[in-house]
Amino acid sequence: QVQLVESGGGLVQPGGSLRLSCAGSGFMIGTFGRYDMSWFRQAPGKERELLATFTSGGSTNYVDSVKGRFTIFRDNAKNTVYLQMNSLKPEDTAVYYCRAQHLVVVYWGQGTQVTVSS
């Protein structure tokens, strides 16, 4: 059974940094790399939005609101994807989720709360 578990969230002051991790388990050996890995977030009262994707082919893309501040990277040997978040703003406050997708197969993590406040 595949599971994704996010960690690394918390309370940070504006301008600060956090690194989120999303660790996968239950993947068949060597298959994690076949998945496109993405980070999403959902703020209270808002829809879940896609922030960044690291494809199985090695390309990355970002939503404009996080370009230059957030970096997605992955370690396929550890079945883990990361989101390095710098220059955090109060509007980045949300629950952050990771997603693994390969063709029609999709897995979600349970989310980790990020709060940016002074």
Side-chain angles (χ1 to χ4, degrees):
Q1 180 178 351
V2 170
Q3 286 189 317
L4 299 174
V5 178
E6 299 96 336
S7 61
L11 174 64
V12 62
Q13 292 187 341
S17 297
L18 281 176
R19 178 177 291 184
L20 305 183
S21 300
C22 170
S25 61
F27 289 90
M28 292 179 61
I29 293 175
T31 62
F32 182 81
R34 299 178 188 175
Y35 287 76
D36 294 342
M37 299 301 299
S38 299
W39 284 95
F40 289 72
R41 70 184 177 193
Q42 188 166 20
K46 295 188 176 182
E47 294 187 353
R48 191 172 297 189
E49 66 168 333
L50 173 63
L51 301 176
T53 297
F54 198 124
T55 71
S56 59
S59 61
T60 58
N61 49 73
Y62 300 88
V63 68
D64 285 347
S65 60
V66 306
K67 278 182 183 176
R69 299 190 300 125
F70 292 9
T71 302
I72 186 172
F73 57 103
R74 65 193 291 170
D75 184 340
N76 290 337
K78 295 182 178 180
N79 289 1
T80 301
V81 63
Y82 305 90
L83 186 67
Q84 177 66 42
M85 306 188 294
N86 299 327
S87 303
L88 283 162
K89 306 174 182 179
E91 52 263 43
D92 294 319
T93 296
V95 178
Y96 284 68
Y97 300 88
C98 65
R99 185 189 75 180
Q101 181 175 15
H102 176 60
L103 301 178
V104 297
V105 178
V106 177
Y107 301 106
W108 288 93
Q110 83 291 346
T112 185
Q113 175 70 47
V114 172
T115 302
V116 184
S117 175
S118 55

